[in-house]
Amino acid sequence: MTALFPGLKIESAELRLIRLPLLTPFVISTGTMTEKHILLLTLRAEGIEGYAEGVMDPYPDYLEETISGSLTFLREVILPQVIGRRFANAAELGAILDPWRGHRMAKAMVDMAMWDLWAKALNLPLSVALGGVREAVDTGVSLGIADIPTTLARVESAVQAGYRRIKLKIKRGHDLDMLAAVRDRFPHAKLTVDANTDYRLTDLPLLKAMDDFALDYIEQPLAFDDIHDHVKVQEKLLTAICLDESIRSATDARKALVAGACRVINIKVGRVGGHTAAHAIHDLCAAFDVPVWCGGMLEAGIGRAHNIHLSTLANFTKPGDVSSASRYFPRDIVNEPLEVEAGRMAVPKTGPGIGVTLDRAFLDTVTGLREDITP
């Protein structure tokens, strides 16, 4: 950092808890979601605002973190250490975040908001600040669990919309028959499945049977904290295993790749601790010649914009979960429509940073809690 630009001093922060209804209930193996609860962070520095969404849920049904726990951790531990301090760059956050165990989703919020601030201070799109190489990214769509006729109709709609990968949520008892029906109707579609940890080693014959459906990969079939047993599954399958919940850090990714637990990794910036950690995992996977893709957590416009910018990095070679916001929400919290065209999502560039602006009037109507944190 040169003397001409002595970094950014964080002056205050705002936390909001918002609730957005979903257009259609989203069903996965662990439950059904009818509305999305989002913790939204704003960091303010020298006339600039940086934004980030948290991807934690109200209850620990995806990973251990919860909204209530993250709110307390941010309010009482992390943000008081950040506010009032000058940062030469986003990487300097590590001195504050790294000593605390876990809480990667909460840490991600601070890291992502700082990266947004940083890119805005440099008058750059976040994608450029991160080292991205694309102006638009290939997109896939994630379809929740439904009966076979409904699933076929949803796949048809996704194919017609031009999505370049279709991910089907599966669980025990809702897998092979559904896959057979979809593959029969759509023999050339690029299909993947996501088990959200519903299977066990005893289900290996069933997972092996999925080799018959020419899937690009099977995502997280076993436990959320497992790497060892995924090795045993990957050894037996022709289809690639993709790990999601099991990968919290570059260290986890290294262990999984060295052991042979997977051949694809899903990077969710909100899961792994932010852009700094996501970039490290991306670079590690590139060194192993293993492709990555950007997973989604039903983010609203702020989180979706962060995902799009991250997806411009070179090793994001598989379509990610950055589908149109209008598939999920009647109205988004940003002014700019984040919509797919011909299977691709353009990098939002309404100004520097993440390139979207808050619809503040609407945001106020869906905010259930707001806290300002000052020195």
Side-chain angles (χ1 to χ4, degrees):
M1 180 55 56
T2 68
L4 296 176
F5 188 66
L8 289 169
K9 182 179 180 180
I10 307 303
E11 297 163 347
S12 65
E14 177 189 272
L15 286 166
R16 289 180 184 246
L17 180 58
I18 65 175
R19 298 170 66 169
L20 290 178
L22 295 175
L23 284 168
T24 304
F26 193 73
V27 183
I28 65 174
S29 64
T30 57
T32 300
M33 185 183 299
T34 59
E35 62 180 2
K36 180 66 176 175
H37 297 70
I38 298 172
L39 200 55
L40 182 68
L41 171 66
T42 300
L43 290 182
R44 301 187 179 98
E46 303 174 30
I48 308 171
E49 292 187 339
Y51 308 114
E53 291 181 24
V55 299
M56 63 289 292
D57 292 323
Y59 305 107
D61 52 359
Y62 171 70
L63 290 176
E64 304 93 331
E65 291 182 67
T66 63
I67 288 174
S68 58
S70 296
L71 184 60
T72 299
F73 182 60
L74 289 166
R75 178 204 296 131
E76 298 183 10
V77 179
I78 297 300
L79 291 177
Q81 296 182 71
V82 170
I83 294 169
R85 177 168 172 171
R86 185 173 295 276
F87 293 86
N89 52 59
E92 286 194 349
L93 271 173
I96 293 173
L97 302 180
D98 293 348
W100 300 99
R101 299 181 182 182
H103 292 282
R104 288 184 173 87
M105 293 177 176
K107 292 176 181 178
M109 294 176 66
V110 185
D111 178 274
M112 292 161 69
M114 182 68 82
W115 271 100
D116 185 27
L117 268 178
W118 188 248
K120 287 171 178 172
L122 297 176
N123 199 33
L124 294 173
L126 177 59
S127 58
V128 174
L130 290 171
V133 296
R134 304 181 183 96
E135 295 295 318
V137 299
D138 288 348
T139 61
V141 67
S142 178
L143 303 180
I145 291 171
D147 58 46
I148 290 176
T150 301
T151 298
L152 290 173
R154 289 175 176 174
V155 174
E156 176 71 32
S157 176
V159 169
Q160 291 179 352
Y163 284 102
R164 302 192 179 192
R165 181 270 282 147
I166 297 168
K167 180 168 75 174
L168 304 170
K169 296 287 189 176
I170 60 172
K171 64 178 181 179
R172 286 176 289 179
H174 182 83
D175 39 43
L176 298 184
D177 289 344
M178 183 269 296
L179 282 172
V182 172
R183 184 51 85 196
D184 181 66
R185 179 79 67 85
F186 304 97
H188 304 298
K190 187 171 187 176
L191 296 179
T192 70
V193 295
D194 183 3
N196 287 113
T197 78
D198 196 54
Y199 295 80
R200 304 294 179 264
L201 270 182
T202 53
D203 297 310
L204 182 56
L206 193 157
L207 294 169
K208 177 65 177 172
M210 295 183 192
D211 279 340
D212 294 338
F213 300 107
L215 302 173
D216 194 38
Y217 51 80
I218 300 170
E219 188 177 351
Q220 198 70 36
L222 306 184
F224 75 97
D225 56 355
D226 172 74
I227 289 176
H228 179 78
D229 286 346
H230 278 103
V231 175
K232 299 178 182 179
V233 174
Q234 185 65 96
E235 288 173 346
K236 300 295 183 182
L237 267 59
L238 299 176
T239 307
I241 295 295
C242 170
L243 290 184
D244 173 0
E245 289 95 326
S246 296
I247 306 301
R248 320 282 187 93
S249 65
T251 298
D252 290 338
R254 176 183 57 79
K255 291 177 180 178
L257 296 177
V258 169
C262 62
R263 298 202 294 266
V264 181
I265 284 181
N266 166 352
I267 299 178
K268 291 177 178 171
V269 60
R271 181 190 77 234
V272 302
H275 287 297
T276 304
H279 211 306
I281 297 171
H282 166 276
D283 293 351
L284 177 82
C285 291
F288 276 82
D289 198 26
V290 168
V292 301
W293 58 279
C294 183
M297 293 286 287
L298 293 181
E299 290 95 340
I302 296 298
R304 199 170 296 266
H306 275 282
N307 290 345
I308 296 166
H309 283 273
L310 178 67
S311 299
T312 65
L313 295 179
N315 197 39
F316 281 90
T317 56
K318 290 184 177 294
D321 288 337
V322 286
S323 52
S324 297
S326 61
R327 291 185 57 87
Y328 304 104
F329 304 112
R331 183 170 176 177
D332 204 347
I333 62 171
V334 297
N335 294 302
E336 295 75 15
L338 299 178
E339 298 295 309
V340 170
E341 294 186 11
R344 307 201 83 204
M345 178 78 79
V347 175
K349 290 186 178 178
T350 302
I354 57 174
V356 295
T357 57
L358 287 172
D359 182 344
R360 295 184 183 277
F362 176 64
L363 181 62
D364 286 340
T365 69
V366 294
T367 296
L369 175 148
R370 175 184 171 183
E371 296 184 10
D372 288 305
I373 302 173
T374 56

